[in-house]
Amino acid sequence: MALDKNQRTIRSLQLTYIPAEPTEEKTEKAETLAKTEKINRATLTNYIAAFINLFEPTLTAEKSQQKATELLAKGKGAPFYQQTEGTLRFVIADHNEKGITFAIEPIKLSLSDK
C-alpha cells in the first residue's frame, strides 16, 4: 500500500498471489494440485473483488466479483495489463508460475484549460 501522508489518502493498493511450490516430500497428484489451484484462484478473485469494492462502494458484491474475474481473464499471461475506469486504474501483472500481482489506484482527474 502506498500512502500520501500529506493528503492522508491511499495512492495505491497492491496484492500479490504467489503459488506454493510443490515439495519433493509431497508427491501430490495432478488432481489435488488442480483442485488446490482452483481454490487459491477463487480466493484471489475474492480479495480483488473486496479491494474493488473498497475503492468503488457503489458496486454490488456481484459486480465487484465480475470485475475481478474480468480483469484476471484479460491480464492472464500478460506481463502487464492496465485498465482505467472512471477515477480508478486497475493493473494485473501475470508472472505465470511466479505469481500474479493486482494493483488498484485512484487517479486524479483534472479539468482542461480549453
Side-chain angles (χ1 to χ4, degrees), residues 40-91:
N40 291 342
R41 189 82 168 185
T43 302
L44 174 64
T45 305
N46 289 337
Y47 274 109
I48 291 173
F51 282 1
I52 291 170
N53 194 254
L54 177 70
F55 280 84
E56 190 61 60
T58 58
L59 290 179
T60 64
E62 183 180 306
K63 290 283 186 187
S64 296
Q65 191 77 26
Q66 288 174 350
K67 185 68 179 171
T69 303
E70 172 193 325
L71 288 166
L72 284 169
K74 288 182 177 179
K76 184 174 180 134
F80 181 83
Y81 172 76
Q82 173 180 302
Q83 179 179 332
T84 302
E85 192 171 296
T87 61
L88 296 175
R89 179 180 301 123
F90 305 102
V91 178

Side-chain angles (χ1 to χ4, degrees), residues 21-33:
E21 294 184 25
T23 61
E24 292 180 17
E25 296 173 9
K26 293 182 181 179
T27 52
E28 300 179 63
K29 294 182 180 178
E31 294 172 6
T32 305
L33 290 173

